[in-house]
Amino acid sequence: GDSVTQMEGPVTLSEEAFLTINCTYTATGYPSLFWYVQYPGEGLQLLLKATKADDKGSNKGFEATYRKETTSFHLEKGSVQVSDSAVYFCALSHALPQKLVFGQGTRLTINP
Amino acid sequence: DTAVSQTPKYLVTQMGNDKSIKCEQNLGHDTMYWYKQDSKKFLKIMFSYNNKELIINETVPNRFSPKSPDKAHLNLHINSLELGDSAVYFCASSPGENSYNEQFFGPGTRLTVL
């Protein structure tokens, strides 16, 4: 079955550091790929998505590129802020029926 | 306006009890979901409904029974609660069944079974 693997956390960085959170997937066909973020005590919010190979999703300074050849969707940000502290989930979805298959989540803490 | 709302936010109960969690979305979406997040933050789908019809039932014990009275509501009833049911339950909705659709999540219901 489909699966998503994220880098082990937790990840702790200083403000303005460069961030990479690795995500690889195993899936049949051509799923859509997502990064969701969960701030403390809240539900998940979509951060960015990509729906086909070589697409780049971007939002709030975060980027991820759909790499079919390496089955990866790594999340990057050039300069993190304290407000980026959260749990980040990589996920994939097929259609019909649509369901999100999540990675295990990576807790990110940014220190001032 | 809250897009996807859940009640209650916290639920503490004894083993063996029956409880319900309610979910409502005001986005006009056709598809709704229940996800379970365990203590290690791992998220897994439980059910999905499309226009009040059950689409996904992901090997969930039959003590869990979802009900969708209309396409804006999806409730989750749990019978004979067990310790292992303690988790955060998230409701979500999406416009349809395309793979690229964003799912909108509620704030979660933290269920603690004692």
Side-chain angles (χ1 to χ4, degrees):
Chain A
D2 296 344
S3 66
V4 176
T5 303
Q6 290 180 232
M7 68 185 287
E8 292 284 334
V11 174
T12 302
L13 296 171
S14 298
E15 209 166 17
E16 299 184 3
F18 183 86
L19 169 71
T20 300
I21 301 178
N22 289 339
C23 171
T24 57
Y25 67 91
T26 302
T28 55
Y30 303 93
S32 295
L33 301 176
F34 304 82
W35 277 100
Y36 279 82
V37 58
Q38 184 178 25
Y39 298 104
E42 298 184 12
L44 281 74
Q45 305 172 24
L46 179 67
L47 181 59
L48 53 84
K49 69 179 182 183
T51 59
K52 61 184 188 298
D54 300 325
D55 266 3
K56 179 187 280 189
S58 60
N59 186 24
K60 299 181 181 180
F62 291 91
E63 293 183 339
T65 300
Y66 189 138
R67 301 281 187 207
K68 187 153 180 63
E69 63 277 10
T70 54
T71 60
S72 65
F73 193 54
H74 304 320
L75 183 68
E76 295 182 337
K77 186 175 185 182
S79 176
V80 293
Q81 306 299 314
V82 172
S83 57
D84 294 328
S85 298
V87 181
Y88 291 80
F89 293 92
C90 185
L92 66 81
S93 178
H94 291 289
L96 302 174
Q98 187 199 26
K99 67 175 184 180
L100 287 167
V101 175
F102 287 95
Q104 67 269 41
T106 301
R107 182 180 297 277
L108 174 67
T109 301
I110 308 299
N111 293 321
Chain B
D1 273 350
T2 303
V4 181
S5 59
Q6 295 178 229
T7 54
K9 190 167 175 61
Y10 299 97
L11 188 50
V12 181
T13 188
Q14 300 288 331
M15 276 177 55
N17 284 350
D18 304 337
K19 290 293 179 186
S20 291
I21 306 171
K22 295 183 184 299
C23 177
E24 177 181 0
Q25 56 96 2
N26 62 6
L27 298 167
H29 290 166
D30 288 336
T31 309
M32 296 184 73
Y33 311 81
W34 280 110
Y35 289 86
K36 178 180 179 181
Q37 185 175 47
D38 64 22
S39 59
K40 296 185 178 180
K41 296 285 192 185
F42 186 68
L43 273 155
K44 187 169 166 56
I45 190 165
M46 301 173 69
F47 302 103
S48 82
Y49 271 74
N50 184 264
N51 276 321
K52 302 193 299 176
E53 286 192 37
L54 180 66
I55 302 297
I56 295 174
N57 182 342
E58 198 78 359
T59 60
V60 177
N62 58 14
R63 297 183 295 103
F64 290 79
S65 52
K67 283 194 170 47
S68 182
D70 55 62
K71 74 174 193 176
H73 296 85
L74 180 61
N75 303 323
L76 184 64
H77 187 76
I78 315 170
N79 290 326
S80 303
L81 278 155
E82 300 177 358
L83 293 176
D85 298 332
S86 295
V88 181
Y89 293 85
F90 287 100
C91 178
S93 72
S94 70
E97 293 200 281
N98 288 313
S99 66
Y100 49 79
N101 283 330
E102 175 183 355
Q103 291 189 18
F104 292 78
F105 284 78
T109 296
R110 181 176 295 278
L111 171 64
T112 303
V113 182
L114 303 175

